[in-house]
Amino acid sequence: MASVQRRAAKTAPDLSTSPIHMDRASAGRNSPYLPTPLERIALGVFPAILVFGTVFSVVSPDIRASPYDHVSQSHRQDPGMAPSYFARKNNVFNVVFVKRGWGWITFAFVFSLLMQPAGRTPPAVVLARRIRAGLRWVAVTAWWFFVTQWFFGPPIIDRSFRWTGGKCEPAQREVATGDGTVTEMLTAVACKAAGGKWKGGHDISGHVFLLVLGTALLMQEVGWPALRFSGWLAEERCIIMSGGAVESAGVESETAIGEGAGEPAFNVGGKTAIGIMSLSLWMLLMTAIYFHTWFEKFTGLLTAAVGVYAIYYVPRFVPILRRVIGLPGI
């Protein structure tokens, strides 16, 4: 009997190194309510850049010597007085990239989605994944639109500015309507178009919001599918099932981790997205150094984080929502 047990022990597979065991072990370590360790490292880049940029703007003699206008949230725009080319709002990266930021983010998302390798995944599964990814993009875009463009009237950024005492100056510019009543300027765009200045309230940094939200979207939509497909991934997200059990997100996937083992983790679509993310992070650093107060940057970061958490983390513990928009790479 003892010899049989010894032979069985020698021939039994080492489950501690099997993908299933590793998947379950990692599932026990990661909370479905919080980012995984890998995600915490990636997301930590945003506050790190903002803190570094803010500190740098304080200690740099050139930046401190340049007059700062709190109404425009920027230093003097005269080329001879601006502390850097990137401190000028008309720099080519700001005009061509940031001002059209959501278009660039959308291009990178669509291109990477279409170029994601399918491997042996059935076409119907690939199509379903693309549809759910499209729904997530719609949800993130809706949050961007509500914050910066329109929210049943003025966007959230302009509403928060007015709620904190902001108004259009000089002389509290007003517009007379046809019936003789008077209506205050409700948006920054309308105020500037009328020759006024939007000042007095708290201005959430739209640049920080856009750059963080868009980069986080690409991190999720490009990163997870590529890491799962290539087999680079050693950890897994956790989800809460309908019955309340906590499981690895892989239990809802029709493909295993490492289906494309040996292939490059990022193809041309993924590399394009990485390029857009890198430029976004660079412009986030420039914003942190040359524009806005620290609190305006913080609220921009916080506003972006609300959208990212609602769309990419809440579905992990809300099964009904997960069945609609899914998780990247699953």
Side-chain angles (χ1 to χ4, degrees), residues 251-292:
V251 301
E252 293 188 344
S253 176
E254 299 193 35
T255 55
I257 294 176
E259 183 185 7
E263 299 186 27
F266 298 99
N267 59 18
V268 63
K271 291 176 181 177
T272 299
I274 290 174
I276 296 295
M277 285 189 283
S278 300
L279 185 54
S280 295
L281 292 176
W282 172 256
M283 294 309 295
L284 180 65
L285 177 60
M286 296 301 99
T287 300
I289 294 175
Y290 298 114
F291 300 96
H292 288 282

Side-chain angles (χ1 to χ4, degrees), residues 4-269:
V4 172
Q5 291 176 339
R6 283 195 295 272
R7 285 197 299 272
K10 291 180 180 179
T11 58
D14 184 6
L15 296 178
S16 65
T17 59
S18 70
I20 295 177
H21 181 87
M22 292 174 66
D23 203 36
R24 288 177 178 171
S26 65
R29 291 193 297 269
N30 297 329
S31 168
Y33 303 100
L34 299 173
T36 67
L38 181 63
E39 288 176 321
R40 287 198 288 271
I41 294 173
L43 295 174
V45 170
F46 301 126
I49 287 176
L50 292 177
V51 170
F52 174 82
T54 301
V55 172
F56 184 85
S57 68
V58 173
V59 301
S60 170
D62 292 337
I63 298 174
R64 286 191 288 111
S66 176
Y68 185 84
D69 180 11
H70 289 277
V71 175
S72 63
Q73 298 99 25
S74 64
H75 294 270
R76 288 285 182 88
Q77 296 297 293
D78 187 315
M81 301 186 68
S84 165
Y85 173 72
F86 287 99
R88 292 157 50 187
K89 291 185 176 182
N90 64 350
N91 77 76
V92 66
F93 296 96
N94 189 55
V95 173
V96 175
F97 181 71
V98 180
K99 293 295 185 182
R100 297 168 174 80
W102 204 251
W104 288 103
I105 294 296
T106 297
F107 164 74
F109 164 76
V110 173
F111 185 51
S112 64
L113 183 65
L114 295 177
M115 295 300 294
Q116 282 177 3
R120 298 180 298 276
T121 307
V125 175
V126 174
L127 178 60
R129 286 180 176 175
R130 288 177 175 175
I131 291 174
R132 289 194 293 268
L135 291 176
R136 291 191 296 271
W137 173 85
V138 169
V140 179
T141 300
W143 183 236
W144 164 79
F145 191 76
F146 288 158
V147 172
T148 65
Q149 306 298 312
W150 176 88
F151 186 66
F152 303 97
I156 291 175
I157 283 182
D158 287 350
R159 288 182 182 272
S160 69
F161 187 86
R162 288 177 54 81
W163 290 339
T164 53
K167 56 188 176 182
C168 190
E169 292 187 354
Q172 293 185 256
R173 298 239 175 195
E174 298 172 336
V175 178
T177 60
D179 59 0
T181 59
V182 176
T183 305
E184 292 185 358
M185 293 289 185
L186 297 179
T187 67
V189 173
C191 179
K192 292 176 182 177
K197 291 185 177 181
W198 198 240
K199 61 185 297 186
H202 173 74
D203 188 19
I204 298 172
S205 174
H207 275 41
V208 171
F209 167 77
L210 165 69
L211 295 169
V212 171
L213 184 70
T215 305
L217 177 148
L218 294 178
M219 284 180 175
Q220 290 282 337
E221 298 293 347
V222 177
W224 279 114
L227 294 177
R228 281 186 58 86
F229 182 80
S230 66
W232 281 17
L233 188 64
E235 69 180 22
E236 182 58 284
R237 293 156 289 182
C238 286
I239 57 175
I240 294 181
M241 308 297 289
S242 298
V246 178
E247 297 284 353
S248 162
V251 301
E252 293 188 344
S253 176
E254 299 193 35
T255 55
I257 294 176
E259 183 185 7
E263 299 186 27
F266 298 99
N267 59 18
V268 63

